[in-house]
Every structure is written in structure tokens, then in C-alpha cells.
Amino acid sequence: MELLILLLLGVVAGIVAGLFGLGGGILFTPILFIVFSDAGIENPVVLTIGSSLFCTFIAAFGSSVRQFQQKNFYWSEGMTIGLMGAGGVYLGKLVITSSYYSQQEFVIFFSLLLLYVAYMFYRRGARNKKEIEQNDTAVTLPQSFVTGGLGGLVAALAGIGGGGVMVPLLNLVFKKSFARSVSISSLAIVLISLSGWVQLGLVESGIGTLTKFHWGYVDFGAAFPLAVGGLLGGFLGALFNLKINRRYLQYAFSVLAIAMAIKLIIEVF
């Protein structure tokens, strides 16, 4: 029953990944954190991040495949931002594996990130579409550096793909269309999350895990049901991305993000 619940939650997270270019980690992370905490794993922050990045990699890969099939695919821009993001992941890894990044700091950072994402998507839903898309040109190298670097850093600190930073930057700041921003972000997240869970897998954890199927700070046994669900949901989300009015969905996601932030704070404090 627990595996089925994780699978269904993964489907929901994957749909979010495809719809909003978030990589699913914005939901994978709190789910895994609560599961590991309830299992009695002491200070499961890095284990949560590594396992969530594995789930995010699977979900983002599925989303990118679907974007490619829909001919809404920007290979060069997505790869460039993803490679920039790998550097940001490395810097973030140095922080989370230090003694200064504890459970409290993680929850505070992630909760603030959720509130930021809620605000950005509320703002996106309230803005006029033509105002955002009128200057939809290719992403420049400096824009890629800023977008990928920040996305990778946040990915490592919070266990998400970085789409919560990259999509608003591309769409709201650099004025790229929403569909283009989601597609670029999804491909970049594939590289960012892959870099993240591999780097954390290479680190000797020395802590307990939920299952015996683990590598470093990545618990594959716990993450796999979420990842499979995320893969299925990623295809659905990317399919709906170009076909539905997202305004009210963005408002709904803002409410969901705020609720998750409150839940995490209550769980720890």
C-alpha cells in the first residue's frame, strides 16, 4: 500500500513537472523528507536531496521526451543552461554536506523557496500573456549563466531540479514565452538533476537509509516508486502544457506551495 501511495504521489508530482517545468522536486522533496523523518532517520536532509534529485531526473527526462515529440524543443539552450547548472550543483553540494546545513536550515530555506514559487506563479497568472511573449528571442550566454547557475545551486540546496528559479527567470525576467521556458527548463533539469544525484551518490553517507537499495546519499528503493510515477505524470503534464489555459492552475499551484511550506514548518518546529 505504501508503494502504491508513493507511486500515485509521483504521478501528481510528474504532472506538475510537465505543466510548469519544475522537475517535480518541489513535491518529491517534502514527500521524501516526511517519509524519511517518520522512519526515524536522523537528520535526513542530504538523503532527501539526493533521492529527490534522482526522482526529478526521471520526471524531467520524460517531460523532455514529450516536449521533443511535440516539436517544442530547444536543444542548444537547454543543454547550455543545464551545463551551467552542473557547476551550481557542485557549489550547493559543498554547502549541504557541511556541518552548517542542518534540518532546520533546510526547512527554512525550502519553505521560503515554496513561498517564492507561489508568488512567482501567482504573478505569472496575473500578467498579460502578450506582454510576456512579445520579445521571445533566443537565450543569450549571460542569461544562460545566470539561469543555470542559480538553478543548479538551488537544486543542490533543496533537492529540486531548479525549475522554480529557471522558469520565472526565463519567462518573467528575460521575457521568453512560457511554453519555451518550460521546454528549456525541462531539458536543463535533466542535466542538473543527473549531476546532482551522481555527485551525492559518490559521497559516503554514513547514515541510515529506508531501504538497502542505496548509493551514497541516494535511496533508490524509496525514490523508485516516486520516480516511476513521476515519469508517467511527466508525459501527461507535458501533453497538457500546450493545450490548456494555465492561469487558474497557476493560482491553484500557488495555494498548494503555501500549504506545503506551512506543513514543513509545522513538521520540524
Side-chain angles (χ1 to χ4, degrees):
M1 179 60 69
E2 185 176 279
L3 293 179
L4 178 60
I5 293 174
L6 287 171
L7 178 66
L8 292 175
L9 289 172
V11 171
V12 174
I15 290 174
V16 172
L19 281 174
F20 303 113
L22 294 175
I26 205 75
L27 295 177
F28 291 140
T29 296
I31 291 170
L32 287 169
F33 181 74
I34 292 171
V35 167
F36 291 149
S37 296
D38 290 346
I41 297 174
E42 186 177 353
N43 195 18
V45 171
V46 185
L47 183 66
T48 296
I49 291 173
S51 302
S52 178
L53 286 172
F54 172 74
C55 296
T56 300
F57 166 70
I58 300 298
F61 181 81
S63 180
S64 287
V65 170
R66 191 63 189 179
Q67 297 282 357
F68 178 78
Q69 292 174 339
Q70 292 177 330
K71 302 186 186 302
N72 179 46
F73 197 71
Y74 302 89
W75 177 266
S76 176
E77 292 162 283
M79 292 289 289
T80 301
I81 291 176
L83 291 174
M84 298 290 186
V89 167
Y90 177 75
L91 294 177
K93 184 195 73 172
L94 297 179
V95 174
I96 65 174
T97 54
S98 71
S99 59
Y100 301 103
Y101 201 69
S102 67
Q103 184 167 289
Q104 286 74 24
E105 281 74 23
F106 167 74
V107 168
I108 291 171
F109 177 80
F110 196 81
S111 297
L112 290 174
L113 179 64
L114 284 170
L115 295 176
Y116 158 77
V117 171
Y119 167 73
M120 293 303 281
F121 276 98
Y122 172 81
R123 181 183 174 191
R124 174 57 177 82
R127 290 185 64 173
N128 182 280
K129 185 177 180 181
K130 290 183 180 180
E131 176 188 350
I132 294 173
E133 297 187 1
Q134 61 185 0
N135 296 317
D136 189 21
T137 55
V139 181
T140 65
L141 189 59
Q143 290 172 346
S144 297
F145 178 79
V146 172
T147 304
L150 289 177
L153 178 62
V154 171
L157 293 178
I160 66 174
V165 172
M166 294 188 292
V167 171
L169 273 175
L170 290 170
N171 181 231
L172 299 177
V173 178
F174 299 136
K175 303 297 188 295
K176 312 306 174 186
S177 71
F178 189 75
R180 183 188 191 119
S181 299
V182 167
S183 178
I184 292 173
S185 174
S186 293
L187 180 55
I189 287 170
V190 173
L191 297 181
I192 289 172
S193 57
L194 174 62
S195 169
W197 71 261
V198 168
Q199 288 188 53
L200 290 174
L202 291 170
V203 179
E204 287 294 332
S205 65
I207 66 170
T209 57
L210 189 65
T211 73
K212 63 181 181 180
F213 304 104
H214 63 89
W215 177 45
Y217 282 106
V218 184
D219 191 330
F220 295 108
F224 188 71
L226 277 176
V228 171
L231 179 61
L232 297 174
F235 277 98
L236 292 174
L239 177 65
F240 296 149
N241 180 264
L242 299 176
K243 297 184 178 182
I244 64 176
N245 188 323
R246 292 178 294 274
R247 183 175 182 180
Y248 296 111
L249 285 175
Q250 288 164 342
Y251 289 151
F253 184 78
S254 295
V255 173
L256 176 62
I258 293 172
M260 287 190 297
I262 295 173
K263 169 65 176 175
L264 280 176
I265 292 172
I266 292 175
E267 185 81 15
V268 173
F269 296 97

